[in-house]
Amino acid sequence: MVERMKSNFAYRKTSPIEITSADSQPVWFNNEDISDADEPLLNPLLENSFQQWASESEELTLFETGEFMLFNKAVQEIAAAGCINTNKADYNSTELEALIKDVLGSGQAGCTVIENRYITAIPIYRRKDKSVFCVFAYVTLVESQQDRPLLQACARHFRCCFYQNFELLYVKDLLLQQQRADKEADRRDELFKATKRLYNQIDVSSVLSELLSSLESFYPSSEVVLFLSQDHLNGDPRVRPLIFKNIEHDPVAKAFLNEKSVTEHDRDGTLRLAVPMTGKQAAYGVLYMTIGPGKWDESDLAAFLILADTSGFAFENAKLYEQSNLLINELRLINELTKRLNQSLKLKEIFQFATSELLTIFDADYCCILQLNKDKNEFAVVSSNFSALSSEVFSPDYGFCGMVYRTREPLIISDYWHTRVVTSKLMDNTSSRSLIAAPILVDGEVVGVILVTHKAASFFSYENYKLLQVMSTHIGLAVTNASLHAEVRRMVITDNLTGLHARHYLNEQIQRRQRKDVFGALILVDIDFFKRVNDTYGHQVGDRILIQVSEIIRSTIRQGDIAARWGGEELAVYLPGIKAEQAYRIAERIRLHVENETEPVVTVSCGVSEWTFEDEKISVESLFYRADMALYEAKNNGRNCIYIRQS
């Protein structure tokens, strides 16, 4: 029976069922077809195409007399339509599967009878290689030879529906690809513009703001946070410090330490993406983005990585530019400070100027400079804008000045209130919380300490700390120069033997006082028979006598009086604001002390003169001339006495 029915299908050796009107299709569809790789995915397309065909062909009488079925290459029933129940329990399914396999293998239509059911199976071919990709079948209880051409037409119609749907999917795929290409082109254009904007920024805050704005425009439905490893604060809540807590379970820490992106998915589909922001020199932070379910396309990852890398390089360039500007400004400040410091050779002026400049440079609230008094072994406040400390002295072991003195190193305190390592009168009385301090070094020894404070916590940066260290060095050099100058000047204006002033210094001081005082007096002191002392006891004893007499003079006169070695054994004392009568009494005290306190005993003769603003001629020469004449008279009248010469 089966063989008889097969022989009746003479049409099966004719041309296969295929589209003959290819010219009616658009040219770019002519060669489009499914491939072997597509076949595992064809079932939905086959089912949809069969349903479309059934809907368009439902008026055929064949639907009333039988049932249409569709099988894939795996001999799986994909869809069915008609009036006969094709439940495999009603007939031998093995024979049906054998028929379908035979048609798939031979590529020719076939038929058979199973349990009084007439089954016709027609292969459906691909466009290009004519291989079978599915089988169109019809099952009926009534055999009719006239229905066979109609079945072939139905198979042809189904094939057209299939390729129509396939072309529709193809076009949709092309459109989707085009949309993705357009989106990618737009994204590349936006990315290029964002990259250009990032590289156009020359300060760190602008780079960070531009980066965050670009990310928000690219991913408007996401939450973006930038974790920075450096102490950069720009007031944006999206910029946060990078703090390592639980490294093993922290994607941000992993991304930063491994310098690789980390992706995590929550149960609800939320994506968490951490990407390191790196430059050529180091990793500077991590971009952390949280994207809701269905809001992320994997194709966006490449653009996101490029933007993160670009921002890393832009941040690094801006940081380097910022640091170079900072160094330039620091050099300018140091140069200006050094120039201004070297303009003064007085320690008090140096300390006062340094205090003023440091307050301005660091925008500080308070500055205090302490100088070490080695003789008393204590620090004295020599300059401060906090007047309550102006006369304070501290032990070298006290407070922050003691810490700097012991370590010889600069110091930075972020919050004194929370880390009270020592007690500080400056910090307590000014309610300061931040502090930077540095030693003033001269020849490797601490001669002073600089303390700079602010009321806000964590106010000073590490750059401020380093800058103060450099500036303290230059202040130390200025102190050294002033000290050396003071020492040289002391040596120039001081007699090495007696410790009294030199003659030229006395002349200068008398001239200066004569310009502003209204009167003054001069005492010339001459050691009697000094040559005899040298000849009798030797020059060493003579020098000792000179020193003894000088000490007596120094202890007898006032602090503002000026004593000097006039020459040889002659000494001079200028008494500003004193007239001859009072000067006589001072000279008399000197004479008596010398006679009673020298060993061996010597005596002195004194000549006294005065000047007043009423004198016709006021000069140092005339003052000394009159005193010298008075001294001459004292020597000629027995020595060990005092004479006054008024005019």
Side-chain angles (χ1 to χ4, degrees), residues 27 151 165 255 309 362 391 409 577 637:
V27 174
L151 289 174
N165 288 325
D309 286 341
F362 296 111
S391 60
E409 295 291 338
N637 287 279

Side-chain angles (χ1 to χ4, degrees), residues 186-219 306-307 310-315 317-318:
D186 292 341
R187 178 58 54 86
R188 283 197 300 267
D189 183 58
E190 293 175 0
L191 188 62
F192 173 77
K193 292 179 180 178
T195 302
K196 186 176 180 181
R197 290 195 300 269
L198 281 171
Y199 278 120
N200 284 339
Q201 309 305 323
I202 59 174
D203 65 278
V204 174
S205 294
S206 298
V207 169
L208 298 182
S209 298
E210 181 59 44
L211 169 62
L212 294 170
S213 298
S214 298
L215 287 173
E216 284 190 342
S217 65
F218 290 164
Y219 313 104
I306 292 174
L307 190 61
T310 302
S311 63
F313 288 120
F315 180 87
N317 292 339

Side-chain angles (χ1 to χ4, degrees), residues 67-342:
E67 183 179 25
F68 291 93
M69 293 181 293
L70 185 67
F71 294 88
N72 62 12
K73 286 186 70 173
V75 196
Q76 295 173 333
E77 184 181 330
I78 302 303
C83 64
I84 296 179
N85 183 4
T86 59
N87 191 324
K88 292 183 179 181
D90 297 337
Y91 56 87
N92 191 336
S93 62
T94 303
E95 293 184 19
L96 176 61
E97 291 179 0
L99 175 63
I100 300 300
K101 288 180 179 179
D102 181 54
V103 173
L104 288 169
S106 65
Q108 302 295 326
C111 63
T112 187
V113 178
I114 304 174
E115 301 292 338
N116 297 324
R117 286 174 170 80
Y118 298 91
I119 304 174
T120 303
I122 304 171
I124 307 298
Y125 303 111
R126 294 182 189 174
R127 283 176 172 174
K128 291 182 179 179
D129 57 10
K130 312 306 180 190
S131 63
V132 181
F133 66 90
C134 68
V135 175
F136 188 83
Y138 180 70
V139 180
T140 181
L141 297 174
V142 181
E143 180 185 12
S144 174
Q145 296 293 332
Q146 291 80 10
D147 291 339
R148 291 170 185 170
L150 185 57
L151 289 174
Q152 188 178 17
C154 288
R156 189 188 302 276
H157 183 194
F158 164 75
R159 187 172 183 273
C160 290
C161 290
F162 172 81
Y163 273 105
Q164 181 184 21
N165 288 325
F166 169 73
E167 290 166 358
L168 181 61
L169 285 177
Y170 180 75
V171 171
K172 287 182 178 179
D173 185 62
L174 287 178
L175 290 174
L176 182 60
Q177 291 182 22
Q178 184 62 41
Q179 289 174 356
R180 288 179 176 176
D182 292 342
K183 180 181 178 182
E184 186 65 25
D186 292 341
R187 178 58 54 86
R188 283 197 300 267
D189 183 58
E190 293 175 0
L191 188 62
F192 173 77
K193 292 179 180 178
T195 302
K196 186 176 180 181
R197 290 195 300 269
L198 281 171
Y199 278 120
N200 284 339
Q201 309 305 323
I202 59 174
D203 65 278
V204 174
S205 294
S206 298
V207 169
L208 298 182
S209 298
E210 181 59 44
L211 169 62
L212 294 170
S213 298
S214 298
L215 287 173
E216 284 190 342
S217 65
F218 290 164
Y219 313 104
S221 60
S222 63
E223 179 184 354
V224 180
V225 177
L226 174 59
F227 292 94
L228 280 182
S229 62
Q230 302 193 357
D231 56 344
H232 182 85
L233 301 175
N234 67 343
D236 194 322
R238 297 169 297 179
V239 181
R240 303 173 188 173
L242 180 59
I243 301 173
F244 298 106
K245 293 183 178 178
N246 189 344
I247 297 177
E248 184 177 353
H249 299 93
D250 185 2
V252 174
K254 289 181 183 178
F256 182 79
L257 295 175
N258 299 327
E259 295 189 13
K260 293 181 180 179
S261 60
V262 177
T263 305
E264 293 183 350
H265 295 272
D266 293 346
R267 292 182 178 179
D268 62 354
T270 300
L271 174 69
R272 301 185 187 279
L273 181 61
V275 178
M277 189 178 74
T278 59
K280 291 183 179 180
Q281 297 181 353
Y284 299 99
V286 175
L287 281 168
Y288 184 66
M289 190 161 63
T290 305
I291 308 106
K295 302 295 185 179
W296 176 257
D297 189 338
E298 291 300 325
S299 62
D300 292 336
L301 181 60
F304 187 79
L305 293 176
I306 292 174
L307 190 61
D309 286 341
T310 302
S311 63
F313 288 120
F315 180 87
E316 184 174 74
N317 292 339
K319 197 70 177 177
L320 291 173
Y321 180 79
E322 196 175 78
Q323 289 175 350
S324 64
N325 280 341
L326 182 62
L327 289 174
I328 291 172
N329 289 332
E330 287 181 359
L331 289 173
R332 182 183 60 79
L333 288 172
I334 292 169
N335 182 60
E336 183 66 23
L337 179 69
T338 304
K339 182 180 177 181
R340 294 284 300 276
L341 286 172
N342 290 333

Side-chain angles (χ1 to χ4, degrees), residues 5 10 101 140 156 387 441 457 520 557:
M5 291 190 68
K101 288 180 179 179
T140 181
R156 189 188 302 276
S387 57
L441 299 172
I557 62 177

